[in-house]
Amino acid sequence: MSEKGSPVAGSDYRVLVIDDHPLLATAVSMELQARGNVACQIVHTGEEALAEYVAADQSETAADAFDLVLSDMDLDEAPGSQAMSGIDVTRKLLEYDPEAKVVILTASHDRGHIVQANLAGAVGYITKDSIGDGQSLTTSVLRALRGERVYTAEIASVLIADSHGESAGPNLTDRELQVLQLVAQGLQFKEIASELLLSTHTVRDYARSLFAKLDVNDRAGAVAVGFQTGLLT
């Protein structure tokens, strides 16, 4: 059975959380509600997820529709049905609704899972050990809700390598990727330092490191390569 999170007056978004670990699903739901003003509904199998998504989408009340689906990779089997993975759920949801947003939240770093989730149409792939705290998860979910793709530097590198038929892509750290994203937004190093709560000197060090990894000499070159390789979208 599905579980509705505690009602949140004036919630900005509705998210369907799919995870076969009730305690984890509840913790994720509570974090998103508390930090992101996101109303969550929890289900534990792929079958439940599809049924709830369709029912909400077809409701006469537009506010019932889900804005995003956050799915684990490995899911329980529904009684009398074959177990579906998060990738299966992503494919089926997008067959029903091509505009559906699905983010995979999983413990798996498996290269095949990462590539298949991307091919299935997921807009993000978040490993549970990269979250750190609830704020990191909330920030990623809110970015996905705004239409951004949500990947750590590690996941982005896997996808870049796959697109080029290589074994590894530019191996930027998460902080280097953050600096690159802010450079692409036109921020100067001093502004980036303020945004990331770092010193300007430290930001310059990150910039030099990412320039070297991307084999460029300046900010413009880094942004160009970032878009060419998919680090920036």
Side-chain angles (χ1 to χ4, degrees), residues 24-158:
L24 179 59
T26 299
V28 166
S29 177
M30 291 176 65
E31 287 288 352
L32 292 177
Q33 290 180 82
R35 297 175 185 266
N37 199 28
V38 173
C40 296
Q41 185 165 334
I42 300 169
V43 295
H44 304 301
T45 71
E47 292 287 349
E48 287 180 304
L50 295 173
E52 290 290 343
Y53 189 94
V54 171
D57 183 64
Q58 295 180 355
S59 170
E60 294 182 0
T61 305
D64 287 344
F66 292 105
D67 300 294
L68 183 136
V69 176
L70 188 63
S71 179
D72 193 6
M73 179 63 71
D74 299 313
L75 301 169
D76 274 345
E77 178 179 338
S81 301
Q82 185 175 359
M84 284 193 288
S85 69
I87 294 171
D88 295 326
V89 171
T90 301
R91 290 196 186 103
K92 289 181 180 295
L93 282 175
L94 285 165
E95 286 174 4
Y96 170 77
D97 177 9
E99 295 184 356
K101 293 185 177 75
V102 183
V103 172
I104 301 296
L105 175 63
T106 178
S108 174
H109 289 254
D110 182 83
R111 179 188 179 89
H113 284 167
I114 296 167
V115 172
Q116 288 302 311
N118 183 60
L119 291 174
V123 299
Y125 191 104
I126 305 171
T127 54
K128 292 175 179 176
D129 59 4
S130 74
I131 295 172
D133 57 32
Q135 186 59 58
S136 299
L137 173 62
T138 301
T139 298
S140 294
V141 168
L142 291 176
R143 286 177 54 206
L145 284 162
R146 291 195 296 266
E148 298 179 42
R149 290 188 171 273
V150 183
Y151 301 113
T152 62
E154 174 201 356
I155 303 304
S157 293
V158 170

Side-chain angles (χ1 to χ4, degrees), residues 155-201:
I155 303 304
S157 293
V158 170
L159 294 176
I160 292 165
D162 180 73
S163 70
H164 292 287
E166 302 168 357
S167 60
N171 188 26
L172 301 189
T173 66
D174 287 345
R175 187 64 88 183
E176 288 167 350
L177 182 58
Q178 285 180 314
V179 170
L180 177 59
Q181 290 169 337
L182 293 173
V183 165
Q185 293 175 25
L187 274 65
Q188 300 301 311
F189 290 148
K190 185 175 181 179
E191 295 171 311
I192 294 173
S194 177
E195 179 77 16
L196 300 180
L197 302 179
L198 300 171
S199 70
T200 303
H201 176 76

Side-chain angles (χ1 to χ4, degrees), residues 5-24:
S6 301
V8 181
S11 297
D12 295 326
Y13 303 102
R14 289 196 75 219
V15 170
L16 182 62
V17 178
I18 318 171
D19 200 302
D20 54 7
H21 296 88
L23 291 179
L24 179 59

